[in-house]
Amino acid sequence: MVTLHNLGFPRIGAQRELKFGLESYWKGESPRQALQALGAQLRQTHWQQQAGLDWVPVGDFSFYDQVLDMSFTLGHLPERVQGFHGDVLDNYFRVARGRSAGHAEHPGCCAGVAAGEMTKWFDTNYHYIVPEFSASTTFTLDASRLLAQLAEAQAQGVRAKPVLIGPVTYLALGKAKDGTDKLALLERLLPVYAQLLDTLAAQGVQWVQIDEPILATELGADWQHALTTAYHQLKSCRVNILLASYFGPLLDNKYLAAHLPVAGLHIDAVSGRDDVLALLGLLPAHKVLSLGVIDGRNVWKTDLTALLDWLEPLAARLGERLWLAPSCSLLHVPVDLASEPQLAPDICAWLAFARQKLDELRLLGQALHQGRQAVAAELAANAADLAARRASPRVHRPEVQAAVAAITPALGQRHSPYAVRAALQATQLQLPPYPTTTIGSFPQTPEIRRARSAFKRGALPAAAYQAAMQAEIAHSVREQEALGLDVLVHGEAERNDMVEYFGEQLEGYAFSQFGWVQSYGSRCVKPPILFGDIHRPQAMTVGWSTYAQSLTDKPMKGMLTGPVTLLNWSFVRDDQPRAVTCQQLALAIRAEVLELEKAGIRIIQIDEAALREGLPLRHSQWPAYLDWAVASFRLCANGVHDATQIHTHMCYSEFNDIIAAIAHMDADVITIETSRSHMELLDAFEHFEYPNAIGPGVYDIHSPNIPTQDSMVQLMRQAGRRIAANQLWVNPDCGLKTRQWNEVLPALRAMVAAAQALRAA
Ligand code: GLN
Ligand code: ZN
């Protein structure tokens, strides 16, 4: 009957053990053996937690990144790490983060090296280390890591299914800086994969999971052909290949996927359920079909009864050929709901983290093997929890739904076109040419963090906390006035995180304590859980902003996080379209915008740091996303009077493909990341006449280096070749919260001097 398996398990540990172990090892505070032992212990725990599945992933554990692991397995290391002292793991961390652990005895050769570039893993918030290809790239098998983990699993009696990134996805994820055609490397790559598969077969492996998530993207004929070539060449290997696609439906790749010569196909049956019927017709009769039916990207309980209604006929039809799994690796969800005693019990009852998702999977297996009556009590409990969620007044608020229903395009429309507004704003704000400003946050000092955590613990009374934050605001206002900045900010001392700060004040949001998800290496994020209709009970920022404005005659920017960013950096509801949730967030932020305006704040910045991240994997779906995302921004921002100046901020370096949508947001001023890419991204502005004002970030806040006045003047001159001088602002490329005051002050002093030099010219 049905076979149960898993594609990957979170490796960071329920208490982020791996994070702390890695960081202590990197600092030289704990020895290599301690890190190795921690890895083994985490793997063992995670395999135990997957007990009862027919196949358990092996090789999904990683000390940094699974793509980097694959590069090392393929013997594919950048040349710049060759010739250093140490072993493979030292080099591994060199590529991952620029240096291995702190070895004082090798100061020369261990000074550090450029880390590999990092980029987002498909449409998730996980970042992988980009493989670096060139014409001279070669591959040689190093199966040692995988074989060691396999031996460990086999010794523990685990039914091991090694997991690999497929050759075609591996090539697709890499970059060839010298312009080499990546697909030309396929023929060098495939023999190494074949050797690896045979090596695994020799160790008694029956099934190998090979991930090719590019099957969920649009594929040109050359990439389709590469998949066909690859799997025809690997089909003579002595293992069964389970080819795994996830993160979206197969759509037009169905035929290709169904006919690749492998023993089984895994698909994302959460987002791609509509593919299944057609696949049944397409799949050759001997092939396994693995359905990823439990959502590996979100935190909600599965409706098991509804799923069984759908699965039972499929199980009858497919028999032994049916496998079940989560839709993708569970890397993208927190580990264990049992670590969350502080979550409200009603909300807790609607959720499933990685371990709970595997419980659901086991239950499905049992229901299919033994009939539903064998698990009747569990199914009834699941149904009751979901019914409670559907009926909860915390989830459904008629007044919010009525407000969404009443949204009209007029709400997202400024009264006058930009030119009219700009003229009015110029007379009211009296800003010089090349106005200077910052992106919002100032250094989050240890004192600020201490005060905030004491306040949260209840150890600092509200009045004392408010006084402490006001003192920080006053300090940052004094510094900005002394620097001579034109548009000031309050500094965001009161914010821990730009999403959490707003989520905590909005009804409809819940927060876990240990709901960490790996973002890259040892870094984790804890996305808030958006569970219900969004209601803003009271003003969230007005008090801080008006206090800050009261200290200065210069305009004080109100500082908000935009609806699309709040959405994209949260776990969001699966019971209504993302677009609707975004509209609710937009209405809440709109209310804040209008209240700030009413309180006398003349400039309001609405950050949309994550707008680009929400882009669907398939380009054909971009317009639909951009439509509602931009409409939500317009809804939240554009209810103000002409004289109120709206800013937005985005920290990306790729604009070319979405510039029209960005312009349609109609913010009066947009500040963007440009310094690291040397204004390269302004290419977008060459072919597109951006109508409103732009502040191209003139220095990289991610580096502790102090930029020179001259370098910033040069960058602005470069920008000036594409954008009219009266459209330009001068600002850093992002918020300054991760920097220290002794870095920020000289940098901003030089930036203000750069603006003065530009004005004088
Ligand atoms: N206003 C935020 C800050 O300055 C923006 C952060 C961001 O873009 N990531 O910190
Ligand atoms: Zn930013």
Side-chain angles (χ1 to χ4, degrees):
M1 268 297 275
V2 61
T3 294
L4 305 180
H5 73 120
N6 187 23
L7 277 68
F9 197 82
R11 52 225 179 193
I12 204 79
Q15 309 291 324
R16 286 184 295 163
E17 294 90 332
L18 184 58
K19 171 193 178 64
F20 302 118
L22 281 168
E23 290 174 359
S24 139
Y25 171 70
W26 291 334
K27 278 190 229 143
E29 290 169 4
S30 58
R32 169 74 68 86
Q33 298 85 309
L35 182 65
Q36 303 281 24
L38 173 65
Q41 183 204 319
L42 285 169
R43 288 191 290 273
Q44 180 170 25
T45 306
H46 298 160
W47 287 326
Q48 281 165 359
Q49 291 173 347
Q50 298 174 82
L53 304 186
D54 299 293
W55 297 108
V56 174
V58 166
D60 58 333
F61 180 86
S62 174
F63 276 134
Y64 204 94
D65 166 43
Q66 72 267 16
V67 180
L68 187 59
D69 286 341
M70 200 65 221
S71 290
F72 273 69
T73 301
L74 298 167
H76 174 216
L77 283 61
E79 252 167 48
R80 63 178 180 281
V81 301
Q82 274 145 31
F84 283 103
H85 96 279
D87 62 4
V88 175
L89 193 63
D90 287 311
N91 268 342
Y92 179 83
F93 287 134
R94 278 189 190 107
V95 184
R97 52 191 289 276
R99 54 181 58 220
S100 63
H103 298 279
E105 66 272 28
H106 300 276
C109 89
C110 298
V113 47
E117 185 183 334
M118 231 172 23
T119 196
K120 274 177 191 275
W121 173 244
F122 294 85
D123 59 351
T124 73
N125 198 19
Y126 176 81
H127 302 69
Y128 69 92
I129 305 285
V130 179
E132 300 171 32
F133 300 124
S134 71
S136 61
T137 294
T138 55
F139 304 99
T140 40
L141 181 63
D142 175 2
S144 53
R145 178 195 60 93
L146 197 56
L147 289 179
Q149 291 187 21
L150 178 63
E152 222 173 87
Q154 287 169 334
Q156 291 167 32
V158 172
R159 288 181 50 91
K161 177 191 58 174
V163 180
L164 308 175
I165 293 170
V168 183
T169 292
Y170 181 75
L171 288 178
L173 293 178
K175 273 195 187 160
K177 292 233 168 83
D178 65 354
T180 298
D181 172 16
K182 293 189 285 179
L183 284 176
L185 301 174
L186 188 64
E187 60 180 31
R188 292 182 216 168
L189 187 53
L190 290 177
V192 181
Y193 270 86
Q195 202 189 341
L196 174 57
L197 293 180
D198 284 333
T199 307
L200 293 172
Q203 298 305 312
V205 166
Q206 293 175 43
W207 282 92
V208 176
Q209 172 189 322
I210 303 191
D211 290 0
E212 292 283 12
I214 58 158
L215 280 165
T217 69
E218 279 143 350
L219 293 175
D222 46 351
W223 289 91
Q224 296 183 19
H225 182 71
L227 282 161
T228 309
T229 309
Y231 290 92
H232 272 92
Q233 198 161 326
L234 297 178
K235 81 174 172 204
S236 51
C237 296
R238 286 167 292 125
V239 286
N240 294 308
I241 295 175
L242 179 74
L243 188 78
S245 168
Y246 42 79
F247 296 155
L250 291 171
L251 301 181
D252 48 342
N253 294 327
K254 267 197 286 294
Y255 187 84
L256 170 68
H259 290 285
L260 291 173
V262 291
L265 176 67
H266 169 89
I267 64 157
D268 178 341
V270 173
S271 61
R273 197 188 263 209
D274 293 344
D275 287 341
V276 173
L277 269 187
L279 270 179
L280 289 180
L282 288 171
L283 270 189
H286 62 271
K287 245 188 219 183
V288 160
L289 179 60
S290 164
L291 298 178
V293 289
I294 310 275
D295 192 349
R297 292 287 295 274
N298 213 333
V299 291
W300 306 104
K301 264 187 189 165
T302 308
D303 185 339
L304 294 173
T305 303
L307 188 54
L308 282 169
D309 289 343
W310 181 69
L311 277 177
E312 279 165 349
L314 289 172
R317 189 161 160 188
L318 285 163
E320 305 243 311
R321 292 168 57 210
L322 176 65
W323 289 24
L324 293 181
S327 60
C328 58
S329 165
L330 296 174
L331 183 66
H332 310 289
V333 291
V335 180
D336 193 358
L337 197 57
S339 315
E340 305 293 339
Q342 289 187 335
L343 264 179
D346 57 339
I347 295 172
C348 213
W350 309 334
L351 300 173
F353 292 176
R355 293 194 64 185
Q356 289 69 40
K357 284 174 187 288
L358 294 179
D359 290 339
E360 291 184 335
L361 187 63
R362 293 184 191 95
L363 210 73
L364 285 173
Q366 213 183 333
L368 290 174
H369 280 290
Q370 302 166 8
R372 292 192 199 194
Q373 68 289 347
V375 288
E378 289 89 341
L379 290 178
N382 172 266
D385 288 339
L386 294 181
R389 180 179 167 203
R390 277 192 291 271
S392 168
R394 293 177 74 181
V395 174
H396 306 283
R397 305 177 67 122
E399 74 281 12
V400 177
Q401 286 158 21
V404 167
I407 292 171
T408 61
L411 291 180
Q413 186 68 49
R414 296 289 296 258
H415 301 288
S416 305
Y418 172 72
V420 176
R421 301 185 326 246
L424 193 62
Q425 290 162 18
T427 37
Q428 306 241 331
L429 296 168
Q430 289 295 324
L431 297 172
Y434 297 103
T436 54
T437 190
T438 62
I439 305 303
S441 55
F442 275 111
Q444 286 268 327
T445 59
E447 300 78 65
I448 295 178
R449 289 180 201 281
R450 265 201 296 279
R452 191 173 42 236
S453 83
F455 173 55
K456 282 201 170 168
R457 279 200 315 274
L460 187 69
Y465 173 72
Q466 185 176 357
M469 293 301 116
Q470 288 190 339
E472 289 296 338
I473 291 172
H475 169 239
S476 82
V477 169
R478 274 197 308 277
E479 295 290 4
Q480 293 173 82
E481 290 203 314
L483 286 163
L485 287 158
D486 301 306
V487 171
L488 310 196
V489 297
H490 77 284
E492 302 180 24
E494 78 287 4
R495 300 183 195 176
N496 167 38
D497 173 276
M498 64 189 286
V499 172
E500 192 172 77
Y501 178 78
F502 291 93
E504 280 179 342
Q505 300 186 75
L506 291 169
E507 288 170 17
Y509 258 114
F511 291 83
S512 65
Q513 246 188 309
F514 296 100
W516 299 100
V517 177
Q518 190 175 10
S519 170
Y520 65 91
S522 66
R523 294 295 206 96
C524 302
V525 294
K526 189 154 64 67
I529 298 166
L530 195 163
F531 67 86
D533 287 343
I534 291 295
H535 173 70
R536 169 187 168 273
Q538 63 204 19
M540 304 181 280
T541 65
V542 178
W544 302 121
S545 288
T546 50
Y547 172 73
Q549 181 67 84
S550 76
L551 304 174
T552 178
D553 295 330
K554 297 260 177 93
M556 176 62 57
K557 265 197 288 194
M559 214 40 76
L560 303 172
T561 301
V564 187
T565 299
L566 291 171
L567 182 88
N568 285 342
W569 282 348
S570 305
F571 284 119
V572 298
R573 302 170 61 167
D574 60 351
D575 59 348
Q576 70 184 13
R578 293 172 75 85
V580 174
T581 304
C582 201
Q583 284 179 309
Q584 295 186 357
L585 290 163
L587 287 173
I589 300 299
R590 177 185 175 92
E592 188 75 12
V593 167
L594 296 179
E595 208 166 321
L596 280 168
E597 180 183 54
K598 210 161 136 204
I601 301 297
R602 293 170 293 165
I603 304 184
I604 300 167
Q605 176 174 315
I606 306 165
D607 293 329
E608 284 292 19
L611 186 115
R612 220 199 129 81
E613 281 174 31
L615 284 171
L617 287 178
R618 288 172 187 265
H619 279 257
S620 57
Q621 293 163 0
W622 282 22
Y625 164 76
L626 287 169
D627 262 4
W628 61 253
V630 170
S632 287
F633 181 87
R634 291 172 60 103
L635 174 62
C636 87
N638 289 355
V640 294
H641 298 293
D642 284 343
T644 300
Q645 191 169 72
I646 296 289
H647 290 215
T648 188
H649 164 70
M650 297 176 187
C651 12
Y652 355 109
S653 45
E654 299 145 62
F655 265 97
N656 287 298
D657 44 4
I658 56 169
I659 187 73
I662 302 286
H664 189 51
M665 290 164 71
D666 202 17
D668 296 302
V669 181
I670 177 170
T671 56
I672 53 184
E673 188 279 308
T674 40
S675 60
R676 261 171 301 169
S677 54
H678 308 288
M679 300 274 156
E680 236 168 57
L681 86 118
L682 291 178
D683 290 352
F685 298 88
E686 185 141 13
H687 310 288
F688 182 88
E689 207 170 309
Y690 187 78
N692 304 3
I694 305 175
V698 287
Y699 80 87
D700 177 10
I701 62 91
H702 303 89
S703 157
N705 301 338
I706 310 297
T708 63
Q709 172 184 334
D710 204 47
S711 69
M712 293 185 275
V713 170
Q714 289 312 320
L715 283 175
M716 287 304 293
R717 294 234 161 94
Q718 248 173 288
R721 279 183 222 126
R722 301 198 175 106
I723 299 160
N726 65 0
Q727 281 179 284
L728 285 171
W729 283 60
V730 180
N731 46 264
D733 70 354
C734 198
L736 300 164
K737 70 175 178 187
T738 56
R739 297 262 65 91
Q740 297 175 6
W741 277 106
N742 63 10
E743 298 160 342
V744 163
L745 291 178
L748 291 179
R749 217 169 279 134
M751 187 187 88
V752 171
Q756 281 158 353
L758 288 162
R759 285 169 204 157

